[in-house]
Amino acid sequence: MASETLDRSAAAPDPDKLNAFMGKMVGDMGAAMSAALVVLGDHLGLYKALAEQGPTTSIDLAEATGLNERLIREWLAAQAAAEYVTYDAAAGRFSLSPEQALVFADEESPVFLAGGFELLQAAFRDEPKVAKAFRSGLGLGWHEHDVCLFRGTERFFRPGYNANLVANWIPALQGVQARLEAGAKVADIGCGHGASTILMAQAYPNSRFHGFDYHAPSIERAREAAAAAGVADRAQFETASAQAYPGEGFDLACIFDALHDMGDPVSAAAHIRGSLKPDGTWLLVEPFAHDDLADNLNPIGRMFYSASTMICTPASQSQEVGLALGAQAGEARLRKVIEAAGFTRFRRATETPFNLVFEVRP
Ligand SMILES: C[S@@+](CC[C@H](N)C(=O)[O-])C[C@H]1O[C@@H](n2cnc3c(N)ncnc32)[C@H](O)[C@@H]1O
């Protein structure tokens, strides 16, 4: 009886805490609802038109885009309430501040985020498939997702690669930049749409790049992108798994945000080791994470654990072994995978708020 009383008092909600929690939840629901409006604004070219126009009205924006004025007016109001668009009440005009323009309108900016919202769209579209994976334990393959995941992933990661890959990550590896400049053979494994491969091919014209991914439609798209970027002569793409891609004698192997998606990362790592020259390097980029769950309970961990639940962990479970490292694997767990594959040198070369960057050597 006494413990029942205790339990009840422990469960009694504190009105102030409840109020604060409701405030947070209203903010979160608004953010989640706004995500669809970001996808809409991105697809319809509204952000880019706003950036081009400068301070404008819904009437002028409708004229510039050929879209329905009444719906644009509502979208602008929602965007202003979200603080994604700036509203000048005195002038009755909407605009993008320089910061908002970088995030929503400039595809080449290092902080462009609008494209990444396509990835969030996949989480909602594929929720029934993920629910099935929760019941079956059989996972959900990367290839089984809605197509918006593939494009959203490319657009979410590309700005970070633009900002960091050539300027910071490669220089953080011992001797790799010089080899790439002189002419090296490079594998980009789990390359998706090839954003990282193409970027390196543009930066190091003397080197040869081989992108591999088990997802054939992504490889098709990577080939098209390489041709459009004018690097098809030195960036080639092939459908192949990380555990069995062809070729040997690579100076550099790269995996960008894909090792934890694999079912058998130890076999993939062992295959990489076999395909590298004895003095070759593996550049491993994974989502930023601390080793302990409690240290990842922050906005970045929230985003990555969520993506990991909906995408990465079921993707790994769907493959042989199904190790399911998760997108917040952290350095200690990654080190175990690398060492199990026979590599002897593993160090954190650098990091960003979103990425851990490792140098791995045989
Ligand atoms: C999160 S995406 C990253 C794609 C790309 N590296 C990027 O940064 O944009 C993970 C990629 O790993 C690929 N992948 C998953 N398991 C694989 C495997 N066993 N072998 C090869 N690729 C795999 C998926 O098809 C997907 O393209």
Side-chain angles (χ1 to χ4, degrees):
M1 221 34 208
S3 73
E4 210 175 276
T5 316
L6 265 181
D7 282 348
R8 275 206 202 113
S9 75
D14 173 318
D16 291 337
K17 284 186 185 163
L18 183 60
N19 216 11
F21 188 45
M22 284 302 289
K24 170 185 154 60
M25 288 311 298
V26 169
D28 283 4
M29 281 185 78
M33 194 71 213
S34 294
L37 279 76
V38 174
V39 173
L40 199 60
D42 177 54
H43 282 171
L44 293 173
L46 285 167
Y47 293 115
K48 289 182 179 119
L50 252 183
E52 276 163 25
Q53 293 257 308
T56 190
T57 62
S58 57
I59 297 168
D60 289 343
L61 197 57
E63 201 162 296
T65 57
L67 299 169
N68 181 265
E69 185 279 330
R70 180 66 191 92
L71 291 177
I72 288 188
R73 206 187 327 151
E74 214 63 5
W75 180 84
L76 283 168
Q79 292 288 287
E83 297 178 21
Y84 295 174
V85 162
T86 303
Y87 179 55
D88 179 343
R93 287 179 177 269
F94 298 88
S95 62
L96 289 179
S97 69
E99 300 76 25
Q100 289 165 337
L102 283 176
V103 168
F104 291 115
D106 182 357
E107 197 97 25
E108 297 308 315
S109 113
V111 293
F112 180 69
L113 284 185
F117 277 69
E118 278 191 315
L119 200 157
L120 310 184
Q121 196 179 17
F124 279 99
R125 286 198 178 166
D126 294 332
E127 180 275 333
K129 296 181 197 166
V130 179
K132 214 169 145 194
F134 267 74
R135 295 195 180 96
S136 72
L138 296 175
L140 176 68
W142 178 266
H143 59 282
E144 295 175 277
H145 280 275
D146 190 278
V147 69
C148 62
L149 175 65
F150 316 132
R151 177 116 184 101
T153 299
E154 175 194 349
R155 297 180 77 208
F156 178 60
F157 287 123
R158 200 200 290 113
Y161 300 154
N162 282 346
N164 294 301
L165 176 51
V166 172
N168 302 315
W169 296 348
I170 285 171
L173 308 173
Q174 265 184 350
V176 170
Q177 186 172 358
R179 265 167 100 154
L180 288 169
E181 281 164 358
K185 184 174 172 186
V186 181
D188 187 355
I189 303 137
C191 66
H193 285 186
S196 50
T197 333
I198 292 166
L199 195 60
M200 290 189 287
Q202 286 170 325
Y204 306 108
N206 293 331
S207 289
R208 293 291 169 268
F209 298 87
H210 304 266
F212 302 110
D213 199 290
Y214 90 114
H215 185 230
S218 287
I219 288 297
E220 274 306 309
R221 164 80 193 120
R223 284 186 185 135
E224 286 166 16
V231 295
D233 58 330
R234 52 188 187 274
Q236 277 151 15
F237 295 92
E238 205 169 323
T239 305
S241 83
Q243 307 88 279
Y245 61 84
E248 54 187 18
F250 290 101
D251 299 279
L252 176 68
C254 310
I255 295 197
F256 297 97
D257 216 303
L259 187 72
H260 66 269
D261 292 300
M262 296 174 188
D264 189 356
V266 176
S267 290
H271 187 72
I272 289 174
R273 190 165 166 268
S275 79
L276 278 177
K277 284 183 182 158
D279 63 348
T281 300
W282 173 13
L283 165 61
L284 172 63
V285 177
E286 277 285 299
F288 185 91
H290 298 285
D291 290 330
D292 291 326
L293 165 63
D295 295 328
N296 293 327
L297 303 184
N298 54 52
I300 302 241
R302 176 191 192 179
M303 194 170 70
F304 283 141
Y305 277 127
S306 301
S308 188
T309 307
M310 302 305 286
I311 303 159
C312 318
T313 307
S316 175
Q317 285 182 322
S318 76
Q319 298 183 16
E320 256 180 54
V321 180
L323 189 65
L325 281 170
Q328 292 288 268
E331 181 167 343
R333 271 176 291 266
L334 292 168
R335 179 184 291 277
K336 278 193 187 153
V337 168
I338 304 302
E339 288 178 352
F343 282 98
T344 60
R345 285 169 290 174
F346 175 80
R347 75 174 178 97
R348 189 183 299 204
T350 184
E351 63 185 51
T352 72
F354 291 105
N355 301 103
L356 294 173
V357 179
F358 299 103
E359 179 183 71
V360 188
R361 290 178 170 248

